[in-house]
Protein backbone atom coordinates (compact mmCIF):
# COMPACT_ATOMS: atom_id res chain seq x y z
CA UNK A 1 0.00 0.00 0.00
CA UNK A 2 1.26 3.43 -0.85
CA UNK A 3 2.14 5.91 1.84
CA UNK A 4 0.58 8.72 -0.21
CA UNK A 5 -2.83 7.13 0.43
CA UNK A 6 -2.47 7.82 4.15
CA UNK A 7 -1.60 4.24 5.02
CA UNK A 8 1.72 3.66 6.78
CA UNK A 9 3.39 0.36 7.60
CA UNK A 10 4.68 0.41 11.19
CA UNK A 11 7.92 -1.23 12.32
CA UNK A 12 5.96 -4.26 13.52
CA UNK A 13 4.40 -4.73 10.07
CA UNK A 14 0.93 -3.46 10.96
CA UNK A 15 -0.67 -1.20 8.36
CA UNK A 16 -1.85 1.97 10.10
CA UNK A 17 -4.26 4.66 8.97
CA UNK A 18 -5.47 7.65 10.95
CA UNK A 19 -9.16 8.01 11.68
CA UNK A 20 -9.05 11.19 9.59
CA UNK A 21 -7.87 9.23 6.53
CA UNK A 22 -9.79 6.03 7.27
CA UNK A 23 -12.78 6.55 5.00
CA UNK A 24 -10.67 7.32 1.93
CA UNK A 25 -8.44 4.30 2.61
CA UNK A 26 -10.88 1.73 3.93
CA UNK A 27 -11.09 -0.44 0.80
CA UNK A 28 -7.32 -0.78 0.23
CA UNK A 29 -6.77 -1.34 3.95
CA UNK A 30 -9.37 -4.12 4.13
CA UNK A 31 -8.06 -5.74 0.96
CA UNK A 32 -4.56 -5.80 2.41
CA UNK A 33 -5.88 -7.45 5.57
CA UNK A 34 -7.91 -9.97 3.60
CA UNK A 35 -5.43 -10.88 0.89
CA UNK A 36 -2.16 -9.95 2.56
CA UNK A 37 -3.03 -11.57 5.88
CA UNK A 38 -1.53 -8.59 7.71
CA UNK A 39 -3.39 -6.88 10.56
CA UNK A 40 -4.19 -3.19 10.26
CA UNK A 41 -4.91 -0.51 12.83
CA UNK A 42 -6.82 2.73 12.98
CA UNK A 43 -5.01 5.45 14.85
CA UNK A 44 -6.05 8.55 16.75
CA UNK A 45 -3.43 11.13 17.64
CA UNK A 46 -0.75 8.66 16.61
CA UNK A 47 -1.92 5.86 18.91
CA UNK A 48 -3.67 2.68 17.80
CA UNK A 49 -7.32 2.70 18.77
CA UNK A 50 -8.71 -0.34 16.90
CA UNK A 51 -7.40 -3.27 14.89
CA UNK A 52 -8.69 -5.05 11.81
CA UNK A 53 -7.51 -8.64 11.53
CA UNK A 54 -8.09 -11.53 9.11
CA UNK A 55 -10.89 -13.92 10.13
CA UNK A 56 -8.52 -16.82 10.85
CA UNK A 57 -6.47 -14.61 13.20
CA UNK A 58 -9.58 -13.59 15.11
CA UNK A 59 -10.90 -17.15 15.32
CA UNK A 60 -7.54 -18.39 16.62
CA UNK A 61 -7.44 -15.56 19.18
CA UNK A 62 -10.89 -16.53 20.48
CA UNK A 63 -9.84 -20.18 20.72
CA UNK A 64 -6.58 -19.25 22.48
CA UNK A 65 -8.44 -17.09 24.98
CA UNK A 66 -10.85 -19.92 25.83
CA UNK A 67 -7.93 -22.31 26.20
CA UNK A 68 -6.10 -19.91 28.51
CA UNK A 69 -9.21 -19.42 30.66
CA UNK A 70 -9.68 -23.17 30.94
CA UNK A 71 -6.01 -23.63 31.86
CA UNK A 72 -6.19 -20.99 34.62
CA UNK A 73 -9.33 -22.58 36.02
CA UNK A 74 -7.67 -26.00 36.02
CA UNK A 75 -4.55 -24.55 37.68
CA UNK A 76 -6.65 -22.83 40.36
CA UNK A 77 -8.58 -26.05 41.03
CA UNK A 78 -5.45 -28.21 41.05
CA UNK A 79 -2.90 -26.03 42.84
CA UNK A 80 -5.05 -23.44 44.55
CA UNK A 81 -5.39 -19.75 43.80
CA UNK A 82 -2.56 -18.86 46.19
CA UNK A 83 -0.02 -20.27 43.69
CA UNK A 84 -1.48 -18.30 40.77
CA UNK A 85 0.51 -15.09 41.29
CA UNK A 86 3.81 -16.97 41.31
CA UNK A 87 2.85 -18.86 38.18
CA UNK A 88 1.70 -15.65 36.44
CA UNK A 89 5.09 -14.08 37.18
CA UNK A 90 6.91 -17.12 35.81
CA UNK A 91 4.78 -17.05 32.66
CA UNK A 92 5.41 -13.31 32.15
CA UNK A 93 9.17 -13.91 32.35
CA UNK A 94 8.93 -16.79 29.90
CA UNK A 95 6.82 -14.73 27.46
CA UNK A 96 9.48 -12.00 27.51
CA UNK A 97 12.09 -14.67 26.81
CA UNK A 98 10.08 -15.90 23.82
CA UNK A 99 9.63 -12.35 22.50
CA UNK A 100 13.40 -11.84 22.50
CA UNK A 101 13.84 -15.03 20.48
CA UNK A 102 11.52 -13.86 17.70
Amino acid sequence: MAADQGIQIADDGVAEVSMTDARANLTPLLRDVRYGGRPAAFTERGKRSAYVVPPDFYEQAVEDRLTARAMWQLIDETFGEQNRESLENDLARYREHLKRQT
Side-chain angles (χ1 to χ4, degrees):
M1 284 181 279
D4 61 351
Q5 294 178 328
I7 299 171
Q8 305 291 321
I9 305 302
D11 290 340
D12 62 358
V14 175
E16 295 181 339
V17 65
S18 71
M19 293 299 285
T20 304
D21 297 329
R23 179 175 288 178
N25 293 286
L26 190 56
T27 298
L29 187 75
L30 292 176
R31 283 187 179 143
D32 192 49
V33 169
R34 180 177 181 188
Y35 299 113
R38 173 182 30 225
F42 295 107
T43 60
E44 289 183 283
R45 296 182 181 92
K47 293 187 178 188
R48 293 176 182 172
S49 59
Y51 285 87
V52 179
V53 296
D56 59 334
F57 181 96
Y58 175 80
E59 291 162 4
Q60 185 64 55
V62 169
E63 186 65 31
D64 291 349
R65 187 173 200 153
L66 289 172
T67 299
R69 287 166 79 188
M71 287 173 46
W72 281 118
Q73 185 172 349
L74 181 61
I75 287 167
D76 288 347
E77 291 171 4
T78 305
F79 301 107
E81 290 184 36
Q82 65 273 13
N83 294 320
R84 185 177 181 141
E85 184 176 344
S86 174
L87 183 56
E88 286 174 336
N89 292 334
D90 290 344
L91 286 171
R93 281 193 300 275
Y94 190 69
R95 283 182 46 153
E96 287 303 313
H97 171 74
L98 291 175
K99 282 182 186 179
R100 288 190 296 272
Q101 288 182 338
T102 356

